[in-house]
Amino acid sequence: MSRQDSGTRRATISDVAREAGVSPSTASVVFSGKTPVSEATRRRVLDAAAELGYTGPDPRAASLRRGRSGIVGVVFEEHLRTAFLDPVKTLMMDGLADAVTPLGAGLLLLRDHEPTGSGPSLTTAPLDAAVLIGCSGLLRESLATVKARGVPVVVIEGDAGDDVPRIGLDNREAQRQAASHLRALGHRRVVVVSLPARSDWERGWLRDDTAVAVDVTRDRLAGALDVFPDAATYAAAGSFIDEGLAAGREIFADPDRRPTAVIAQSDLLAAGVIRAAEEAGLRVPEDVSVTGFDGIVVDGLAPYELTTLVQPATDKGRAAGAAVAAMLEGEPAATIFFTCTFREGNTTGPVPAAD
Amino acid sequence: MSRQDSGTRRATISDVAREAGVSPSTASVVFSGKTPVSEATRRRVLDAAAELGYTGPDPRAASLRRGRSGIVGVVFEEHLRTAFLDPVKTLMMDGLADAVTPLGAGLLLLRDHEPTGSGPSLTTAPLDAAVLIGCSGLLRESLATVKARGVPVVVIEGDAGDDVPRIGLDNREAQRQAASHLRALGHRRVVVVSLPARSDWERGWLRDDTAVAVDVTRDRLAGALDVFPDAATYAAAGSFIDEGLAAGREIFADPDRRPTAVIAQSDLLAAGVIRAAEEAGLRVPEDVSVTGFDGIVVDGLAPYELTTLVQPATDKGRAAGAAVAAMLEGEPAATIFFTCTFREGNTTGPVPAAD
DNA sequence: GGTGTTGCTCGAATCGATTCGACCCCGCTG
DNA sequence: CAGCGGGGTCGAATCGATTCGAGCAACACC
């Protein structure tokens, strides 16, 4: 039987080889299966391994030699907790995991900007490839790091230059579609509730459109402004119902300046805005229309059904995984843009007559 | 400036050392800072590194030598997608990430049982430690693997033997508390809707209590049976609202055999059961009482407020991280049990008089 | 019997960095 | 002036496995 030998050094493949009376190379081959081995030798090695309590090659050593660690880093620009809370990210992760597993790779969760300074960073983690999610300025910094290290990288939702494959969305187009829908319904006084404008953003009115450093925010905003050039924008501090609520309260505070429609850049924000509208005694969509973005299921929003843009989140993750796979094979990975589908719910309606 | 040299082999620390005219050891020390280095040398090395486009030591090589990879594996017993969907797991992950980051470690997502067979497993990933979440039979298998490899391991919600530190919950106690609450309200005909009994479980009535291989399920069930020894159990196939719904439909199908109370082993299941009750034309809690477990926020459940047991999910994660930290330091990590808090909502009430 | 395959097995180099003891030079002290 | 201490550098061993070409035995075929 195997002995624990907890005091002693772990057995190495050389130990096993010696015990089995073969060379280390042969022993290695028994485990990797890269070369045919006679059944007898195989047995001897396996038995020796069992005897010594050897459980297979040390991944660290193996990855050094092979130059592959089987680890794909997923870089978030925010705290992991908030990433998990975002249904879109969750779906993307899922798609990504799907696509990456067959490669024999695992997903390592990484933060863009480690607060402690001691965390595992892009520089210290043994990555085969990296997937950057989001688009803050910090991300651009990470990108430089990763590229310098020569690690293949894919960016989801963010512009990283032409040499980096990118998984994107037709944000501007899609948002314009929703805005046009509102315009067709007669709306003219519209406010946009946007995602954060910068990574360190505190919620508030956006004075200067050019201050938007986050790609998604900028693109969606551009789409809205294409249709409503004069729309004011209130930028939230994150994609949460609570943030939408806070934004909505501010927006609906002054009865004289109330918009007849609100374009929210995410479904969660939209849900919060709707809640704020209810608080303010406004009916949706009779008094105010609200559009979202993402097409996720927002629990607790019933009986409302958001008018929103449905994005293929899981597919985005899967595509990123495929891109990683390609790059790992040495093939170039293409940039892919997905398109959103406009879905009309019951949160938008004709502009109120009283307007 | 740095040159890309994309065709050439990546520069190594030896290259840098040569370029700087120092020994590899000195160059290494410049990057690790383990030993004082004169400012002049430091400059020369850094300049040489910049010149060669060297971005720091290769993590693979470093981890081989140091014996540390800075990676903590988190092993789920299910598909990642379902793990992310479970609010309790999400919270745990969050706590875990919190506790593990200061160690300079990252979280590697791993599945217990890779379907493709080629995925990264406990055997092939360079782990410093592992956290096993859940408690299926498969998990026990993984546990053996990990222990054989000599990787420190912590188990959350599952029994792994005395030599493995464990983060647990007073499941039985807590569930008994909820059951007692129902009993005090006069309920006698009670059905339990349980979490899966085994990892490959299909939903259905549980004929044999001893068939339960999952620790959490077993413990909570025991707590319920302590109070209602004759209660029937319908085991779901996962902790989802839909599963609760399916279970509820089955349970409420036959008017003659309807229970007056349902003990669900998770809040999500409870939410589904409530929905099923509504479908069946039953009012909660007037016609049927329902209890949950977890104390999470179930969106869309309003106006119901579950009578449930609130568990400190984030703390569990954090505790697991702390245990990992301790073991990495070579100190023994203690098993910790957290306790749930009973919270009475509006989904339980006196047994209906008609009974 | 000679020669060409086929099928395993072995040696030795290599992956890239870290570490530890030895060593050297310089300044300070007695 | 000799001895001592210490900051800074260097050499060489080591971490554990993989890989590839060479070597070798057995077998088959002519």
Side-chain angles (χ1 to χ4, degrees), chain A residues 279-314:
Chain A
E279 274 187 12
L282 299 168
R283 291 161 306 157
V284 175
E286 290 80 359
D287 297 323
V288 59
S289 289
V290 179
T291 67
F293 203 117
D294 286 343
I296 58 166
V297 179
V298 182
D299 282 313
L301 194 59
Y304 293 114
E305 215 168 284
L306 271 175
T307 292
T308 192
L309 296 147
V310 186
Q311 67 159 303
T314 308

Side-chain angles (χ1 to χ4, degrees), chain B residues 47-187:
Chain B
D47 287 349
E51 168 71 18
L52 264 41
Y54 179 81
T55 47
D58 180 333
R60 279 178 279 266
S63 77
L64 168 57
R65 182 67 240 242
R66 320 172 94 133
R68 282 280 174 85
S69 61
I71 292 180
V72 174
V74 183
V75 185
F76 294 94
E77 56 181 334
E78 57 206 332
H79 195 97
L80 292 182
R81 122 180 47 200
T82 72
F84 288 139
L85 285 178
D86 184 346
V88 176
K89 298 236 163 81
T90 296
L91 289 172
M92 269 179 9
M93 284 294 289
D94 191 31
L96 187 55
D98 265 7
V100 127
T101 302
L103 266 63
L107 260 24
L108 182 69
L109 271 22
L110 252 24
R111 280 203 58 193
D112 190 309
H113 170 62
E114 277 306 333
T116 67
S118 72
S121 60
L122 293 168
T123 11
T124 63
L127 306 180
D128 285 348
V131 177
L132 307 198
I133 298 180
C135 25
S136 67
L138 287 160
L139 183 139
R140 265 182 255 279
E141 207 172 295
S142 311
L143 186 71
T145 314
V146 173
K147 275 170 68 180
R149 268 186 65 189
V151 173
V153 53
V154 178
V155 170
I156 300 184
E157 287 297 327
D159 190 354
D162 290 338
D163 51 344
V164 175
R166 159 146 93 116
I167 310 297
L169 215 52
D170 60 337
N171 283 305
R172 184 170 185 164
E173 259 310 301
Q175 187 67 88
R176 190 187 301 150
Q177 218 170 325
S180 300
H181 165 72
L182 288 175
R183 179 161 244 277
L185 289 170
H187 294 274

Side-chain angles (χ1 to χ4, degrees), chain A residues 21-218:
Chain A
V22 300
S23 77
S25 18
T26 305
S28 169
V29 151
V30 167
F31 287 99
S32 73
K34 296 245 176 192
T35 299
V37 175
S38 77
E39 188 50 32
T41 316
R42 172 191 193 65
R43 268 252 70 77
R44 283 223 309 287
V45 172
L46 258 22
D47 288 350
E51 168 70 18
L52 265 40
Y54 179 81
T55 48
D58 179 331
R60 278 178 279 265
S63 77
L64 168 58
R65 183 66 240 237
R66 317 172 97 134
R68 282 281 173 84
S69 61
I71 292 180
V72 175
V74 184
V75 186
F76 294 95
E77 55 181 333
E78 57 207 331
H79 195 96
L80 291 182
R81 122 179 46 202
T82 72
F84 287 139
L85 286 179
D86 183 346
V88 176
K89 298 236 163 81
T90 295
L91 289 172
M92 269 178 10
M93 284 294 288
D94 190 30
L96 188 55
D98 265 8
V100 127
T101 302
L103 267 62
L107 262 22
L108 182 68
L109 271 23
L110 253 22
R111 279 204 58 193
D112 191 309
H113 171 63
E114 276 305 333
T116 66
S118 73
S121 60
L122 292 168
T123 11
T124 63
L127 305 179
D128 284 348
V131 177
L132 307 198
I133 298 180
C135 25
S136 68
L138 288 160
L139 183 140
R140 265 181 255 280
E141 207 172 294
S142 312
L143 187 71
T145 315
V146 172
K147 276 169 68 179
R149 268 185 67 189
V151 172
V153 54
V154 178
V155 170
I156 300 185
E157 287 297 328
D159 190 354
D162 289 338
D163 51 344
V164 176
R166 157 145 94 117
I167 309 298
L169 216 53
D170 59 336
N171 283 305
R172 184 169 186 165
E173 259 311 301
Q175 187 66 87
R176 190 186 303 151
Q177 219 170 325
S180 300
H181 166 72
L182 289 175
R183 178 160 244 279
L185 288 170
H187 294 274
R188 293 296 177 274
R189 294 219 316 271
V190 173
V191 167
V192 175
V193 174
S194 81
L195 293 168
R198 287 195 311 269
S199 49
D200 58 345
W201 187 260
E202 304 273 323
R203 78 173 76 97
W205 291 100
L206 197 66
R207 301 291 168 201
D208 179 9
D209 294 355
T210 60
V212 180
V214 180
D215 294 331
V216 178
T217 309
R218 175 157 20 77

Side-chain angles (χ1 to χ4, degrees), chain B residues 14-40:
Chain B
S14 307
D15 299 332
V16 173
R18 197 174 323 115
E19 174 89 9
V22 300
S23 78
S25 18
T26 304
S28 170
V29 149
V30 167
F31 286 100
S32 74
K34 296 246 176 192
T35 298
V37 176
S38 77
E39 188 50 32

Side-chain angles (χ1 to χ4, degrees), chain A residues 330-353:
Chain A
E331 299 156 20
T335 284
I336 302 179
F337 277 87
F338 286 91
T339 54
C340 299
T341 316
F342 179 73
R343 185 173 68 195
E344 183 168 1
N346 58 15
T347 60
T348 49
V351 66

